[in-house]
Amino acid sequence: MKKKLTRRDFLDKSAKSMVAAGMVPTFFKVHPLMAFAANGEEKMSEKSYFDRFTVNETMIKEVMNEALSKGGDYCDLYFQHKISNYIGLEDKEVNRAYSNVDFGVGIRVLKGDQTGFSFTEEITPKAMKLAAQTAANIANSGQNSKTTPLKYHSHPNYYPVVTLWENVGIDKKIPYLQKINDKIFSLDKRIIKSNIWFIDESSYILFANSEGRIVTDYQPSTMIYVNCVAEQNGQKEQNGFNLAAREGIEFFTPQNVDRLAKEAVTRTVELFEAVKPEAGEMEVVLAAGSSGILLHEAIGHGMEADFNRKDISIFADKINKPVAESFVTIVDDGTNEHVRGSINIDDEGNDSQKTYLVENGILRSYMHDRISARFYKVKPTGSGRRQSFRYAPMPRMRNTYMLPGPYTNEEIIKSVKNGLYAETFTNGQVYIGAGDFTFYVKSGYLIENGQLTKPVKDVNIIGNGPQVLRDVVMVADDFKMAEGGWTCGKNGQSVPVSMGLPTVKVSKITVGGTS
């Protein structure tokens, strides 16, 4: 029988496989967490997950019985082992690297719409039962609810990888940073500085609940972020570009490495010619792709069911009512292959799915977790998500995007006499209840007499999400998913997400520029 690891044993084992991050150029002859690596086939089996967390079905059932000992209606256990690696390049040298290991289990008990939750970093029968007793205190009937025999549930895999990240040493990653850096400085003599971050993560999930479902998932993730600074006649500008996906090292093809450098440099040096538009209300064209962040922030959060259940969102009374033109359809989807926000299962063990939020202009559904689904008497939409085992799940977005419409990009641009073409946004603020927002346009262009002309900078747009949705007057057929590494924050929890958009014309948004 395999010896069970205490939290102290686990940390000791982790520490012995690491060294100080200050010795970056030479320190990882092998991956720092190779002690946790095994061959890929074993990792993907149900047994390997039990071995990873040193548990078995009997132990899980005993913990569940403890969690339901005071009369809870339902309980679940969320085991997680997450390995994160970071490498940084600055001033043409790789000078930062570190790894983080997270390991533990979260135990949740539901009684009606009330939640009892606790977690432990020590996966032993004693520690888990103590955590279960804490979560059990949400109920007080003294009656022990019954659990259902566990049955393994299989699911599709939307992000298969060729090589697990644990099997990729730092010596295989550093060349990517060096190639990108060399390319950046070769593209334009005005570049004076670059910063590059390489991030990879592996998260192993084992989930079991009192209804008898047991399910596992391996969630890979990676991102390279590039930022550069250019100087011209004493004027400095900076901008960046990043690519992210649920993939392995094979994601960073020569083509993607070149794109990271070229896009970062182009976006930066364009700012030397950038102008500020005149302030005021004008037509705004949202570029296909990452400008979908406006859809995510200003509209998507308002369609998360907990905000509507609590009557916070402006969409709380809008189910089956028109909220946009008939050519507008918006989905939240966890099944897009290899996209950052995709999940095979949500953090309540439900299969991921494609959820139609707005269909042909009509609001059809919210994003539901178990609690909100029970309140609305519908099925969960696979939207229950949590930052880690330390948190209880809640309704969250995955990949939120608008489907293609009947127009072309060219038709939309030509229809604008005087407006703004917004490509990328940053520093957004949104008030979920009313949907009011403000965003900073990082990259974009003026539209003058139906043509893109000068790049713009230092531009804010201000508006109301639901009103912008109603003011969408044209949607193109050129849908594009954002490629960057977006992370969404809500109630103190962060989760990876993505978004997408075809080219979209909004009839009016307030633009802050020169008076």
Side-chain angles (χ1 to χ4, degrees), residues 159-213:
Y159 30 80
V161 297
V162 176
T163 305
L164 301 180
W165 279 111
E166 296 93 300
N167 297 333
V168 181
I170 196 171
D171 59 314
K172 299 293 193 299
K173 303 172 189 177
I174 287 176
Y176 288 99
L177 281 71
Q178 293 170 331
K179 288 177 183 177
I180 294 167
N181 185 73
D182 292 345
K183 184 76 172 179
I184 286 171
F185 283 95
S186 71
L187 288 171
D188 198 296
K189 294 181 179 179
R190 291 171 290 182
I191 299 297
I192 60 173
K193 186 179 182 66
S194 73
N195 287 281
I196 306 170
W197 273 102
F198 188 122
I199 302 169
D200 65 81
E201 293 184 343
S202 295
S203 185
Y204 293 86
I205 306 299
L206 170 62
F207 176 91
N209 67 20
S210 55
E211 295 176 346
R213 174 171 290 219

Side-chain angles (χ1 to χ4, degrees), residues 27-324:
F27 72 82
F28 285 150
K29 301 300 182 183
V30 295
H31 192 280
L33 296 161
M34 193 63 76
F36 295 102
N39 66 71
E41 291 183 3
E42 183 187 4
K43 280 182 176 293
M44 297 305 126
S45 71
E46 180 187 2
K47 180 182 181 301
S48 73
Y49 282 85
F50 282 128
D51 290 344
R52 177 176 292 273
F53 296 106
T54 64
V55 297
N56 54 46
E57 289 191 21
T58 300
M59 190 185 303
I60 289 173
K61 294 288 284 187
E62 289 175 352
V63 174
M64 285 186 180
N65 287 334
E66 196 71 46
L68 296 175
S69 61
K70 295 187 179 181
D73 301 324
Y74 163 93
C75 77
D76 57 39
L77 277 62
Y78 180 88
F79 297 87
Q80 183 182 34
H81 177 195
K82 185 177 180 180
I83 306 162
S84 307
N85 301 297
Y86 307 82
I87 308 172
L89 181 150
E90 185 177 10
D91 297 328
K92 301 184 179 182
E93 291 185 356
V94 174
N95 59 5
R96 291 159 292 168
Y98 60 94
S99 297
N100 184 67
V101 179
D102 219 8
F103 187 84
V105 59
I107 301 172
R108 180 176 65 153
V109 176
L110 300 182
K111 182 66 176 180
D113 62 355
Q114 301 298 306
T115 300
F117 183 79
S118 186
F119 71 87
T120 175
E121 297 174 344
E122 185 175 343
I123 299 182
T124 63
K126 180 180 178 180
M128 288 192 290
K129 287 179 181 180
L130 285 172
Q133 290 168 11
T134 300
N137 287 328
I138 195 67
N140 58 9
S141 70
Q143 298 177 350
N144 197 332
S145 303
K146 293 183 178 180
T147 60
T148 301
L150 294 173
K151 183 178 180 180
Y152 184 78
H153 173 78
S154 61
H155 54 75
N157 186 10
Y158 301 111
Y159 30 80
V161 297
V162 176
T163 305
L164 301 180
W165 279 111
E166 296 93 300
N167 297 333
V168 181
I170 196 171
D171 59 314
K172 299 293 193 299
K173 303 172 189 177
I174 287 176
Y176 288 99
L177 281 71
Q178 293 170 331
K179 288 177 183 177
I180 294 167
N181 185 73
D182 292 345
K183 184 76 172 179
I184 286 171
F185 283 95
S186 71
L187 288 171
D188 198 296
K189 294 181 179 179
R190 291 171 290 182
I191 299 297
I192 60 173
K193 186 179 182 66
S194 73
N195 287 281
I196 306 170
W197 273 102
F198 188 122
I199 302 169
D200 65 81
E201 293 184 343
S202 295
S203 185
Y204 293 86
I205 306 299
L206 170 62
F207 176 91
N209 67 20
S210 55
E211 295 176 346
R213 174 171 290 219
I214 188 163
V215 62
T216 62
D217 193 26
Y218 166 71
Q219 298 176 348
S221 179
T222 187
M223 178 176 71
I224 291 186
Y225 179 78
V226 180
N227 182 273
C228 55
V229 179
E231 184 174 12
Q232 175 179 287
N233 300 325
Q235 177 185 349
K236 291 182 180 180
E237 298 288 354
Q238 71 173 20
N239 211 329
F241 182 68
N242 68 90
L243 291 174
R246 287 205 181 276
E247 289 209 47
I249 192 73
E250 62 274 5
F251 176 64
F252 297 107
T253 62
Q255 293 80 10
N256 278 342
V257 168
D258 281 348
R259 283 191 62 213
L260 283 158
K262 289 177 181 177
E263 288 285 348
V265 170
T266 299
R267 293 183 179 194
T268 301
V269 298
E270 273 188 344
L271 294 177
F272 290 124
E273 309 301 324
V275 298
K276 295 182 181 180
E278 292 186 7
E281 195 173 77
M282 66 179 67
E283 293 178 315
V284 174
V285 176
L286 304 175
S290 62
S291 64
I293 185 62
L294 182 63
L295 179 71
H296 169 102
E297 293 287 6
I299 298 165
H301 277 298
M303 295 181 182
E304 291 168 331
D306 51 347
F307 291 128
N308 291 281
R309 181 172 66 89
K310 298 171 185 176
D311 204 28
I312 295 172
S313 171
I314 199 169
F315 294 112
D317 61 350
K318 298 293 192 297
I319 288 290
N320 294 323
K321 294 180 181 178
V323 294

Side-chain angles (χ1 to χ4, degrees), residues 240-501:
F241 182 68
N242 68 90
L243 291 174
R246 287 205 181 276
E247 289 209 47
I249 192 73
E250 62 274 5
F251 176 64
F252 297 107
T253 62
Q255 293 80 10
N256 278 342
V257 168
D258 281 348
R259 283 191 62 213
L260 283 158
K262 289 177 181 177
E263 288 285 348
V265 170
T266 299
R267 293 183 179 194
T268 301
V269 298
E270 273 188 344
L271 294 177
F272 290 124
E273 309 301 324
V275 298
K276 295 182 181 180
E278 292 186 7
E281 195 173 77
M282 66 179 67
E283 293 178 315
V284 174
V285 176
L286 304 175
S290 62
S291 64
I293 185 62
L294 182 63
L295 179 71
H296 169 102
E297 293 287 6
I299 298 165
H301 277 298
M303 295 181 182
E304 291 168 331
D306 51 347
F307 291 128
N308 291 281
R309 181 172 66 89
K310 298 171 185 176
D311 204 28
I312 295 172
S313 171
I314 199 169
F315 294 112
D317 61 350
K318 298 293 192 297
I319 288 290
N320 294 323
K321 294 180 181 178
V323 294
E325 296 289 344
S326 60
F327 48 77
V328 173
T329 295
I330 300 170
V331 301
D332 186 79
D333 192 353
T335 68
N336 307 99
E337 193 165 287
H338 293 298
V339 175
R340 177 172 166 82
S342 293
I343 48 176
N344 292 329
I345 55 169
D346 74 357
D347 296 330
E348 297 183 306
N350 298 305
D351 286 354
S352 195
Q353 67 173 55
K354 183 177 183 178
T355 305
Y356 281 78
L357 305 174
V358 177
E359 187 174 24
N360 300 323
I362 308 297
L363 181 61
R364 294 300 189 193
S365 176
Y366 303 130
M367 287 163 271
H368 290 286
D369 64 357
R370 169 178 282 270
I371 292 175
S372 68
R374 182 168 54 187
F375 177 85
Y376 285 100
K377 296 180 172 59
V378 297
K379 293 182 178 180
T381 57
S383 306
R385 304 189 66 191
R386 63 181 99 196
Q387 179 172 315
S388 75
F389 68 88
R390 293 181 174 84
Y391 300 86
M394 57 184 162
R396 302 295 300 270
M397 283 176 275
R398 297 158 299 187
N399 304 312
T400 310
Y401 54 94
M402 187 181 295
L403 297 188
Y407 299 95
T408 66
N409 171 278
E410 291 76 14
E411 287 174 325
I412 290 178
I413 299 298
K414 287 180 180 179
S415 73
V416 178
K417 183 177 181 180
N418 179 37
L420 175 69
Y421 182 81
E423 277 190 321
T424 61
F425 295 92
T426 186
N427 296 339
Q429 290 186 331
V430 180
Y431 297 94
I432 301 300
D436 296 328
F437 67 82
T438 177
F439 279 96
Y440 178 78
V441 180
K442 187 67 174 175
S443 299
Y445 297 87
L446 294 179
I447 306 177
E448 298 174 297
N449 297 317
Q451 291 186 328
L452 299 182
T453 56
K454 299 174 183 177
V456 297
K457 67 177 180 180
D458 301 329
V459 180
N460 286 320
I461 63 170
I462 305 163
N464 174 270
Q467 184 61 51
V468 165
L469 188 58
R470 289 190 291 269
D471 290 338
V472 170
V473 292
M474 298 177 79
V475 178
D477 58 3
D478 60 345
F479 170 79
K480 181 181 178 183
M481 188 72 77
E483 301 171 284
W486 295 96
T487 299
C488 174
K490 175 182 174 181
N491 295 342
Q493 294 192 48
S494 297
V495 295
V497 296
S498 192
M499 66 286 301
L501 207 67

